[in-house]
Amino acid sequence: MDLGISGKRALVCASSKGLGRGCAEALAEAGVNLIMNARGSDALEAAAEDIRKAYGVEVTTIAADIVSEEGRAKVLEVAGDVDILVTNAGGPPPGLWSDWARDDFIKALDANMLTPIALMTALMPGMIDRGWGRVVNITSQSVKAPIPALGLSNAARTGLTGYVAGTARQVAEHGVIVNNLLPGIHATDRADQLDGGVSKAQGISVEQARKNRQGTIPARRYGTSQEFGATCAFLCSQHSGFIVGQNILIDGGGTNATI
């Protein structure tokens, strides 16, 4: 399927690896020129070079912490006007409700709610002026069904979801389409981190922790960054104009819900 976005420009955050890289690769395959951001320059440059060679698109890299005001200003200055925004930031660590203080919640809100909102605030006016834009926020399946150990993430990402629910319906008439992608467990560093935590807490091997978690997923496996990226690219395409303010689960059936 021709996604109809060849030649567009996309800013993809946290795109040196994992789900962000999967989204960057899928957009590049559709002919989109990229501005790739991540904190670590080595992994970022390596990913960008792989994408240039594979797809022949223009790739600009910006090594900066998108969560900090300084890093975000640097990214926005280099990115300029973009047609597509994919927001992404690593989730806060797991724990118990009794472990967290106010500062922990502020950090989670900054990373997983306020940073995506700041990027949308900065970039959507230009999209509105041009009459076309796409925003995809990578959130979590936990906004549909909370994960007890991820209370910080549950809170921050649900806040972003509420913001998008209203905002998406205000900008859709201008051709700017905003949606959220809700990943379940994918074969990324984040899954390794979570499986490692379970391994330590339960005194089992990481391999056994992973096998146990896979057994709770109807698909009986972890997702891949490639299939996640393909879904992201579709939501950024010309074909997604009537999909507004939705929260799309990619979790192998792991969230047990009717709607």
Side-chain angles (χ1 to χ4, degrees), residues 31-55:
V32 175
N33 297 314
L34 301 175
I35 298 95
M36 294 177 62
N37 158 252
R39 287 179 296 180
S41 60
D42 290 346
L44 179 61
E45 294 299 336
E49 186 58 24
D50 288 345
I51 290 173
R52 291 187 192 102
K53 290 179 179 177
Y55 304 108

Side-chain angles (χ1 to χ4, degrees), residues 46-131:
E49 186 58 24
D50 288 345
I51 290 173
R52 291 187 192 102
K53 290 179 179 177
Y55 304 108
V57 298
E58 297 177 8
V59 182
T60 301
T61 57
I62 315 167
D65 182 0
I66 197 70
V67 174
S68 72
E69 289 189 20
E70 298 80 7
R72 194 159 53 249
K74 180 180 177 182
V75 170
L76 289 170
E77 181 180 5
V78 174
D81 291 331
V82 298
D83 307 294
I84 294 166
L85 168 64
V86 180
T87 75
N88 184 28
L96 294 174
W97 62 270
S98 54
D99 297 334
W100 301 315
R102 184 177 188 276
D103 286 348
D104 298 308
F105 282 97
I106 295 300
K107 289 178 183 178
L109 290 168
D110 275 340
N112 300 131
M113 177 183 171
L114 298 178
T115 290
I117 290 173
L119 291 169
M120 284 186 276
T121 300
L123 294 172
M124 288 197 307
M127 296 178 186
I128 290 171
D129 288 344
R130 295 186 296 276

